[in-house]
Amino acid sequence: MQRWPVLLFLAWVCFLFFAGIGLFMSGFLLTRIELANSSSCSDPLLPPLWEGHSLPPSSCWAPQRFSKAVLVIIDALRFEFARFDPAKASPLPYENKLGFLHHLTTSQPRHARLYRFRADPPTATMQRIKGLTTGSLPTFIDVGSNFATYAIQEDNLLAQLVKNGRRVVFMGDDTWEGLFPKMFFRSYFFPSFNVKDLHTVDDGILQHLYPTVDGGEWDMLIAHFLGVDHCGHKHGPDHPEMAKKLTQMNEMLRSLVDHLGNDTLLLVAGDHGMTETGDHGGDSEKEVNAALFVYSKSPLFDTGPPEEPEAVPQVNLVPTVALLLGVPIPYSNIGEVMAELFSRDGDAVSTALQQLSVYHINAKQVDRFLHSYSLVAQDLPAEQLQHLQELFSSAMEEHTQLLAQLQGATLVPPELESRLGSLIGRFQLYLREARAVCTQSWARFHPLRMVGGCTLIAASCLLCYVASELAAALDSFYRSCLLYPLLWGLVVALLLGLAHVFIQEGLDLLLVSSWAAAASQLGFFWNWWGRHPKRANLTGSQPPLASVGLRQRLRAWLGLAFPMSILLFRCGAMFSDSFVVAEARVAPFLLASLVVLLVGKLHWDGHLTAPEGPKQQPLGFSSYRREIWYLLCLVATLLICVRLSGFFHQCREEIPQCRPSLFLSPLASLRNTRAKNLFYLLCVALLTGLVYAVRSWLRHYGNLNSSDPLVLFVRWGFPLVVLCIACYWAVASSADDSLGKLQELVQVAVVAFPWAVYGLASVGLLLLLCNPMTVLAKDTREPAGSIVTPYLGVPSSEVDFLHVIPQIYKQMQVSQKSRLERGSCRATVAAYGLGSVYSAALVIALTLLGFLLMLLHSERLSLAFLLLFLEAFVLLHIHTHARGLAGDTEPFSVPWYAVISWLLAASQFFYSTGHQPIFPAIHWNAAFVGFHLDHSTNLLPAVLVGANTFASHILFAVGCPLLLLWPFVCEMPSSQKRKPKKEPREELQEVEEHMMEMRLRESPEKFSTALLQLGLKYLFVLGMQLLACVCAAMILRRHLMVWKVFAPKFLFESLGFVVSSICLLLGISLVMRVDCAVSTWFSQLQLR
C-alpha cells in the first residue's frame, strides 16, 4: 500500500484550497485604513468669534464644562433593562430593576436623561470599546479578534485625555488592557472571558470603586461591569439571576451618585444589547439597542425629557465627552455631538450659539478627516464625497454670513434664533450624511484578490474531480500528478522569494503561497493534458457511449446526475439569503430527497425485483426481492432521525416566529427539580446505551477477544469515561444550588471531572495510535508427525482401551484430509476480529471523539449526538445494501451519492447540535469546560470552541473511510444468509471467501487508490459548497444582507472546510496506521 503518496497528494490538495481561501479572504475582509493622524489643541479649529473671551487654560477647542467624568459600562445593558414602566404589575426578571435611574429622571428632569444607545454591528465587546473611544466604525473582520485584542493605534478619547494631562483610572474587563496598554494612571483589571463567572469582575470593581471616587486622584474613571453580560450568556435575560444582577447594579448606582461631586458627569452605558437567549455579536434589534443614562448634580438640560427616549448612535458619545471635558475630538471621529448637553442657563439664543459653536467644531473635524482619508484610500465614492463637500461648504458659507451679521448687530433676536436653528440643522444634516456614507462604504474590497481566490478554489475543485477519475487509470499517477506539480510550485515560490529579496520589499507569504498553488495547479493540468490530449471523457474504464444502448447510457448518466443535481441545488441555494437563513431545514430535506431518489433509481434500474422464474408472480409484493424490505426499514429509520434532529435547532433573528430548542440550555437552567432529574437520567442512560452498542458491535465481529491494552481500555475505560461525564453533568447542573464548603468541593469537581475525561480519552487515542490491532490470534498448530492422542495415563477399563484405536484412526483421517486440502501447511491460525480490524479502529476513535465533543455541549444535546451516530450507522447500511442490490462490480470505488449524503448529514447535524453560521450562536461556554479561571493563552479556548462548533464536521470527516470499509465488513452476514449449507470442501472455500476487510489487502494498490479517490471526492463536495459561498459573497458583496448573512456563512463554511479537511487526513492516516500494524502482524505470524 502506498501510504505516503496518498497522504501527500491529499495534503497538497488541501493546501490549494487553503491558499484560495486565504487569498479571497484578504480581498473580501479588508479592514478600513486607520490614519495615524492625531488631533491637538493647536489645530485651526477655533470657536466662533462671538465668544468674546479666550478659552480657559484647561480647555481646548471648547470651554470645559466638567472637570471629571465617570463612565460606567454595564456590559450588554439592553434598553429594556434600563427603562422603568410603573404600569407593569408583573414585570419580567429583567424589567423594572434599575428603578434608581427612573427616580433620578423624574425627580431631577434637568439633571438626568435616558437614551436609546444604538450600537453599530458587530456587537462584540472589543468592537464596541473601539467605537466608544475612537468615534469610528470597526469593520466586520475585527470581530475575529474579539478575544485576541491588540492595542488601538488610532487617535482616541483616552489618548487625548492623557496627552492633555488628565488622569484616567480603569477597573473591570481586562479587554481594555490589551487595547490601551500603559494608558491608565491606575488600573484594576479582572479576567473577562469566563462567561460562567458572574461575580469576580463586578465584586472586584465594587471593592475599589468608592474609595477611588472619594480619593479624587482621577479626571476620568471607567468601570466596566460584566455580570449582566455573563448572566445573559449563562442563563438568558429571563432568569432570576438576571434580576439579582440588575438589582446589584441599581444599588451600585445609588451609592455611586452619593459619592459624586457637582463638577462630575456620570455616564451609564451599555456597549450592546442581547438576544432572548443572552447572545450578541450580530445586528438584530435587541443586540444593537443598548441604553445610555446621563446625569450630573448640576443642571444639564434646559428642558425636561421627551416622552419617548431619543435614539443616539454610540459614536456620538466621543465628540460629546471630549468637548465637555475640554479636550480635542479624536481625529477619526465621525460621530455627532449631543447638542442638548451644551445648553446654557441663559436665554434660547445663548443656548443656540453655544450649540452652533460645538457643531461648527464637529463639522470641521469630520471634514478634515474625510479629506485626509480620501487621499490615502479610494473606498469612499467620489460623487458622495463631492455631495458632502457641497453640504459642508454651503453650511460654512452661511456660518460666515451669520458671523458678519452678528458683528454688525443687524439681526433681531427672533430672526437670529430662526437663523441659528436653520444653520444647526444644516450642520446636523452634513454630519449624519457623512456618517451614513462611511457606514455604507467601509467594506473595502480587493477585486483582484477576490477573483484570484475564487479561481484557485474552482480550479482545486476541478483538480479533485479529474484526479479522482484518473487515479486508477495511471500507473505513474503519483509521479506525474504530484511530483511534477509540486516542483512547479516550489520553483515559482523560490523565484518570487528571490524577487522580493532583490527589490528589498516585505515578503507577502499569502501572495507567494497563492502563486505557488496556482503554478502547481497549472503543472497538474499541463501534465494531464499532455498525457491525454484526445481524452473525450473522464469515466476511466467505462465503455464509449456509442457502444451501449440508450437505456444503458441513461442509467450511466443518471448514476452521476441525480446526486450531482442535489449538490448543485445546495450550492445554488447559497446565493439566496432566504435559503441560507433556512438552511437548517434545507439540508435535512436534501438528505432525505437524495436517499428516496436512490431507492427510486434502484427500482427504475430493476434491481429491487426478483429474477423472473417459473413460479414468480408477475405482479404484487412477492415480485420484489426480500432485501428491499430491510432497505425500506433503513430508509424509514433515516427519515425518523432527520425529523427528530429538528428538535435541537438554534434560531436566527431573521425568523421571528422561531423559538430556540429547550434542549440547548443546560440542566442548571431548569427550575423544576423533577424535570432536571429526569433529563439527567435520560442523558446518562443514552450515553450508557451508546457505549453498550459500540461494545456489542465490536464483540459481534470479534474485536473484543484479545487482551491487548486497547481492547482492555474499551472494556473498562469506556464505562469509566461515561462515569466521569455523568458526574460532571451532575455537579454542573447543581453548582448554583450548593452552599458553603460544598460549593468549594463542587468547584473542584467541575474542573476535575472534565480533566479526567480529557485524560482518559487521550490515553485511549494514544493506545489506538500505538497498537490499533484488536485481533486475537489463536494458534491451532498440529505437532509434527503426531497422530496419537496425548498420554492420559493407564486405561482404567476395557471401554477406555477399546476407545483408543478408533480415536487414532480418526486422527489419521483428519490429518490426511487436512494435508490433501491445505497442501503442506501443518498449522492454522484463527484470527478473531481480523475481518473488521480497520473499521474497529475507526469506531473506537469516533466513540472517543464523541465523548469529548458531548462533554463540550450542554447535557441534553447528548440526545442529538445519539441521533448523529444512529443516522451515520443507518447511512452506512443504506449505502452497503444499495450497492449489494445494484450488484456493484467496483467494490473499491465509493459512489458519489454516498459521499454527498455523508456530507449532507454533517451539515444537518451542524444545525442539530445547536449551531448557526452567525456569531451570536457560538457556544462560548465550551471554552471553560474543565477550567475555572481565565486562560493564559487564546489557543486552547479557540480549540475548545472550534471543536464545539464543528463537532459534526469532525465526526463525519474522521469517519469518512467507513464509506469504503463498511461494505466489506457487512460481507459475511449477508453471504451466510444467501448460502445455507454445503459440503465440507465447499464450506472450506466459503470460509476462505469470507475475508471481509482482508480483501483490501489482496490488492494493496487498489486499496490506496480507493482511499485517495474517496478523499478527493470528499474534498470535491466540500470544495463545491465552499465555492458557492465564495461566489455568493463576491457577487453579492453590495447586497443588503452581505454582512448579516453571506459573510458569516462564508467564514463558517471556510472554517468548516479547514476542520473537515484536517480531520479527513487524520481519518485516512488512522486507516493507514492500522494497515501498517496489520502488515507487521502478518510478518510476525510468518516467523512463528
Side-chain angles (χ1 to χ4, degrees):
M1 181 187 214
Q2 301 187 44
R3 303 184 185 98
W4 286 111
V6 171
L7 288 177
L8 284 176
F9 194 92
L10 292 176
W12 170 61
V13 173
C14 291
F15 164 74
L16 299 180
F17 278 107
F18 295 167
I21 292 172
L23 187 60
F24 179 85
M25 195 174 292
S26 68
F28 180 68
L29 297 176
L30 285 176
T31 58
R32 65 175 177 84
I33 294 176
E34 294 184 353
L35 302 182
N37 307 57
S38 178
S39 299
S40 66
C41 289
S42 59
D43 292 339
L45 300 178
L46 299 177
L49 299 178
W50 63 68
E51 292 292 343
H53 57 82
S54 60
L55 292 174
S58 59
S59 298
C60 184
W61 289 15
Q64 177 184 358
R65 185 166 184 185
F66 294 98
S67 60
K68 294 179 181 290
V70 176
L71 174 60
V72 176
I73 298 177
I74 301 178
D75 207 292
L77 182 66
R78 205 167 80 190
F79 179 75
E80 289 79 7
F81 297 178
R83 192 169 194 175
F84 191 90
D85 186 2
K88 284 202 171 184
S90 301
L92 295 173
Y94 59 83
E95 293 179 328
N96 290 0
K97 296 302 181 293
L98 296 179
F100 183 66
L101 302 185
H102 176 72
H103 166 73
L104 291 177
T105 306
T106 54
S107 63
Q108 304 178 53
R110 295 189 59 198
H111 295 251
R113 187 162 297 182
L114 179 66
Y115 295 90
R116 293 182 182 272
F117 208 32
R118 304 288 296 183
D120 295 294
T123 51
T125 296
M126 192 198 75
Q127 282 65 41
R128 293 298 85 238
I129 294 174
K130 287 185 175 181
L132 288 170
T133 55
T134 64
S136 190
L137 301 176
T139 49
F140 181 85
I141 191 58
D142 286 342
V143 76
S145 58
N146 193 40
F147 297 105
T149 58
Y150 53 91
I152 293 179
Q153 304 296 331
E154 204 169 17
D155 193 15
N156 59 83
L157 181 60
L158 271 64
Q160 288 295 334
L161 288 168
V162 173
K163 186 191 299 184
N164 287 275
R166 310 299 175 86
R167 297 163 297 178
V168 182
V169 175
F170 178 84
M171 52 189 70
D173 184 354
D174 62 353
T175 304
W176 292 71
E177 183 179 14
L179 292 173
F180 305 100
K182 301 179 180 179
M183 190 78 73
F184 301 108
F185 178 76
R186 188 179 297 115
S187 57
Y188 306 95
F189 297 112
F190 302 96
S192 61
F193 192 39
N194 189 354
V195 293
K196 293 184 178 180
D197 184 1
L198 307 186
H199 306 294
T200 298
V201 177
D202 293 1
D203 292 346
I205 295 174
L206 293 175
Q207 181 181 356
H208 299 283
L209 179 60
Y210 308 123
T212 302
V213 172
D214 295 337
E217 294 184 351
W218 56 276
D219 296 296
M220 182 157 188
L221 189 151
I222 304 173
H224 191 156
F225 291 86
L226 287 175
V228 172
D229 178 68
H230 287 187
C231 183
H233 283 297
K234 185 176 182 181
H235 302 291
D238 192 9
H239 192 274
E241 284 296 326
M242 181 62 77
K244 295 179 184 178
K245 184 52 66 175
L246 289 174
T247 302
Q248 182 189 29
M249 294 295 100
N250 187 65
E251 296 305 316
M252 176 271 297
L253 293 173
R254 188 188 304 275
S255 301
L256 178 61
V257 167
D258 293 337
H259 291 76
L260 296 181
N262 293 332
D263 61 343
T264 303
L265 174 68
L266 173 63
L267 301 161
V268 181
D271 57 342
H272 52 75
M274 67 171 65
T275 63
E276 291 301 329
T277 57
D279 300 312
H280 59 88
D283 62 350
S284 66
E285 180 62 26
K286 291 182 177 176
E287 291 172 276
V288 302
N289 197 20
L292 171 66
F293 179 77
V294 182
Y295 173 77
S296 172
K297 290 188 175 181
S298 59
L300 271 173
F301 309 98
D302 55 356
T303 60
E307 293 185 5
E308 183 64 25
E310 180 185 354
V312 175
Q314 282 191 354
V315 290
N316 290 10
L317 187 66
V318 173
T320 304
V321 174
L323 295 182
L324 286 174
L325 295 180
V327 298
I329 300 174
Y331 194 92
S332 301
N333 165 73
I334 59 169
E336 171 192 345
V337 291
M338 300 165 61
E340 60 272 19
L341 293 176
F342 294 89
S343 59
R344 285 190 170 182
D345 295 335
D347 56 6
V349 173
S350 300
T351 297
L353 286 173
Q354 177 63 22
Q355 292 176 353
L356 180 60
S357 172
V358 294
Y359 268 117
H360 173 264
I361 296 171
N362 193 186
K364 289 193 71 175
Q365 171 265 319
V366 172
D367 176 71
R368 180 185 63 174
F369 166 70
L370 292 178
H371 177 72
S372 300
Y373 189 84
S374 62
L375 294 178
V376 297
Q378 306 299 323
D379 49 2
L380 296 179
E383 61 277 6
Q384 295 189 9
L385 282 175
Q386 180 64 31
H387 173 66
L388 290 175
Q389 186 60 42
E390 291 173 358
L391 284 178
F392 178 73
S393 299
S394 63
M396 289 301 295
E397 183 179 350
E398 184 177 348
H399 180 265
T400 303
Q401 294 175 0
L402 184 60
L403 282 182
Q405 292 175 356
L406 276 174
Q407 289 177 349
T410 59
L411 293 176
V412 296
E415 182 183 357
L416 175 59
E417 187 176 349
S418 175
R419 289 283 301 276
L420 288 172
S422 173
L423 184 53
I424 288 174
R426 299 187 70 168
F427 278 125
Q428 285 179 335
L429 177 64
Y430 167 74
L431 291 169
R432 291 171 186 178
E433 290 201 10
R435 179 177 177 273
V437 168
C438 294
T439 303
Q440 294 171 3
S441 302
W442 272 340
R444 293 189 65 245
F445 301 115
H446 196 303
L448 281 179
R449 291 197 174 204
M450 292 169 64
V451 172
C454 187
T455 304
L456 273 179
I457 295 173
S460 301
C461 292
L462 179 61
L463 186 148
C464 286
Y465 182 82
V466 171
S468 68
E469 298 293 341
L470 290 181
L474 297 177
D475 296 333
S476 58
F477 175 79
Y478 302 108
R479 184 177 69 254
S480 60
C481 297
L482 176 61
L483 182 60
Y484 298 150
L486 282 180
L487 289 176
W488 281 45
L490 290 175
V491 169
V492 169
L494 182 62
L495 291 176
L496 288 174
L498 291 175
H500 278 280
V501 170
F502 282 118
I503 62 178
Q504 296 182 352
E505 287 188 1
L507 190 65
D508 190 338
L509 293 178
L510 182 59
L511 280 179
V512 173
S513 301
S514 302
W515 278 109
S520 60
Q521 285 179 339
L522 184 62
F524 173 88
F525 288 115
W526 180 274
N527 189 272
W528 166 71
W529 187 259
R531 284 176 172 266
H532 304 275
K534 298 180 180 180
R535 193 177 184 89
N537 54 62
L538 302 173
T539 54
S541 59
Q542 292 185 7
L545 293 180
S547 63
V548 296
L550 177 62
R551 186 176 181 85
Q552 285 78 7
R553 271 187 276 174
L554 289 176
R555 286 180 179 177
W557 284 342
L558 188 61
L560 184 63
F562 92 87
M564 287 298 180
S565 62
I566 296 290
L567 175 61
L568 291 177
F569 180 85
R570 171 169 168 74
C571 293
M574 300 296 183
F575 290 83
S576 168
D577 58 331
S578 301
F579 272 95
V580 174
V581 169
E583 193 180 10
R585 290 175 291 172
V586 172
F589 170 76
L590 292 179
L591 174 61
S593 302
L594 180 59
V595 173
V596 172
L597 284 174
L598 171 63
V599 177
K601 181 181 180 300
L602 290 173
H603 179 72
W604 190 71
D605 291 339
H607 297 310
L608 300 185
T609 55
E612 295 185 2
K615 298 182 180 181
Q616 186 71 37
Q617 297 294 330
L619 298 173
F621 292 112
S622 59
S623 62
Y624 291 96
R625 298 168 63 173
R626 286 184 300 175
E627 292 88 346
I628 179 60
W629 306 114
Y630 183 61
L631 178 62
L632 291 179
C633 289
L634 290 173
V635 173
T637 305
L638 176 71
L639 296 179
I640 292 173
C641 290
V642 168
R643 176 62 64 180
L644 291 177
S645 67
F647 289 105
F648 302 93
H649 285 173
Q650 179 66 277
C651 288
R652 295 181 63 125
E653 63 94 12
E654 294 91 344
I655 309 176
Q657 68 274 15
C658 177
R659 292 293 177 269
S661 171
L662 297 176
F663 295 95
L664 301 180
S665 57
L667 289 179
S669 64
L670 290 179
R671 305 175 193 175
N672 190 323
T673 305
R674 184 175 182 182
K676 182 188 295 187
N677 294 335
L678 289 176
F679 271 117
Y680 172 77
L681 292 176
L682 177 62
C683 294
V684 174
L686 292 176
L687 193 60
T688 306
L690 175 63
V691 173
Y692 175 79
V694 171
R695 291 179 57 179
S696 298
W697 186 88
L698 293 171
R699 187 180 297 109
H700 173 73
Y701 286 103
N703 296 103
L704 281 186
N705 293 322
S706 72
S707 57
D708 291 335
L710 179 60
V711 176
L712 294 177
F713 181 84
V714 173
R715 289 178 183 170
W716 306 107
F718 278 16
L720 190 58
V721 173
V722 171
L723 178 62
C724 291
I725 294 177
C727 292
Y728 169 71
W729 286 349
V731 295
S733 61
S734 59
D736 296 334
D737 302 330
S738 54
L739 299 173
K741 294 184 178 180
L742 185 60
Q743 176 72 24
E744 298 178 2
L745 293 175
V746 167
Q747 293 299 330
V748 173
V750 166
V751 174
F753 284 120
W755 273 103
V757 177
Y758 295 150
L760 288 171
S762 301
V763 170
L765 292 174
L766 286 175
L767 291 175
L768 185 63
L769 291 176
C770 294
N771 183 18
M773 294 290 291
T774 53
V775 177
L776 173 64
K778 188 174 181 182
D779 196 348
T780 59
R781 184 178 315 192
E782 300 174 2
S786 174
I787 59 173
V788 185
T789 57
Y791 177 73
L792 300 177
V794 179
S796 59
S797 64
E798 186 177 355
V799 176
D800 291 338
F801 184 80
L802 293 176
H803 180 67
V804 170
I805 297 177
Q807 192 175 8
I808 295 175
Y809 178 77
K810 185 176 180 181
Q811 183 71 22
M812 291 174 63
Q813 246 185 345
V814 171
S815 178
Q816 289 296 328
K817 185 177 180 180
S818 176
R819 289 167 188 249
L820 288 174
E821 292 180 345
R822 305 187 184 185
S824 60
C825 179
R826 291 179 294 175
T828 59
V829 176
Y832 297 94
L834 189 61
S836 57
V837 64
Y838 296 101
S839 298
L842 282 173
V843 168
I844 294 172
L846 290 172
T847 306
L848 289 171
L849 290 175
F851 288 149
L852 291 173
L853 296 172
M854 278 188 276
L855 182 71
L856 297 177
H857 288 75
S858 62
E859 301 89 343
R860 288 182 285 181
L861 281 178
S862 59
L863 309 179
F865 278 92
L866 183 71
L867 282 177
L868 184 152
F869 283 111
L870 178 60
E871 186 171 310
F873 179 80
V874 171
L875 276 175
L876 290 171
H877 275 277
I878 290 176
H879 161 53
T880 300
H881 282 270
R883 296 190 65 172
L885 289 170
D888 198 345
T889 58
E890 296 184 3
F892 287 90
S893 177
V894 178
W896 283 102
Y897 72 80
V899 179
I900 295 174
S901 62
W902 195 252
L903 274 163
L904 285 174
S907 298
Q908 169 201 345
F909 278 99
F910 170 78
Y911 295 98
S912 296
T913 49
H915 298 99
Q916 285 281 351
I918 51 177
F919 292 105
I922 295 177
H923 299 176
W924 301 110
N925 291 339
F928 292 93
V929 176
F931 298 90
H932 181 59
L933 298 176
D934 203 12
H935 292 277
S936 57
T937 65
N938 293 305
L939 179 60
L940 185 57
V943 170
L944 294 175
V945 173
N948 173 282
T949 304
F950 300 105
S952 63
H953 296 71
I954 293 171
L955 292 174
F956 279 94
V958 172
C960 178
L962 290 174
L963 293 172
L964 173 64
L965 302 173
W966 208 258
F968 294 95
V969 174
C970 297
E971 174 186 287
M972 184 174 66
S974 59
S975 299
Q976 285 178 343
K977 290 179 182 177
R978 285 197 303 269
K979 300 179 181 179
K981 188 175 180 181
K982 305 199 175 201
E983 295 298 322
R985 189 180 185 89
E986 293 178 345
E987 282 186 6
L988 183 64
Q989 294 177 351
E990 185 77 9
V991 170
E992 289 180 351
E993 290 177 0
H994 293 162
M995 298 178 65
M996 301 169 66
E997 289 181 347
M998 288 301 101
R999 288 189 183 279
L1000 297 166
R1001 290 192 54 81
E1002 290 182 338
S1003 305
E1005 294 299 324
K1006 287 186 177 180
F1007 189 15
S1008 59
T1009 300
L1011 286 174
L1012 176 62
Q1013 287 179 318
L1014 176 60
L1016 290 171
K1017 288 180 177 180
Y1018 200 85
L1019 290 175
F1020 171 79
V1021 179
L1022 279 174
M1024 288 296 293
Q1025 296 176 173
L1026 175 65
L1027 179 63
C1029 291
V1030 165
C1031 292
M1034 180 176 66
I1035 296 172
L1036 303 174
R1037 62 185 180 275
R1038 294 298 181 187
H1039 191 278
L1040 178 65
M1041 305 294 285
V1042 62
W1043 302 118
K1044 191 180 186 69
V1045 175
F1046 297 112
K1049 176 61 179 174
F1050 158 69
L1051 287 178
F1052 276 82
E1053 197 70 34
S1054 300
L1055 291 173
F1057 180 91
V1058 172
V1059 172
S1060 297
S1061 57
I1062 293 174
C1063 291
L1064 173 68
L1065 291 176
L1066 293 176
I1068 294 177
S1069 300
L1070 178 59
V1071 173
M1072 293 181 174
R1073 173 68 186 94
V1074 176
D1075 185 74
C1076 182
V1078 172
S1079 299
T1080 305
W1081 184 82
F1082 272 116
S1083 62
Q1084 293 176 350
L1085 193 65
Q1086 292 173 359
L1087 296 176
R1088 294 182 183 180

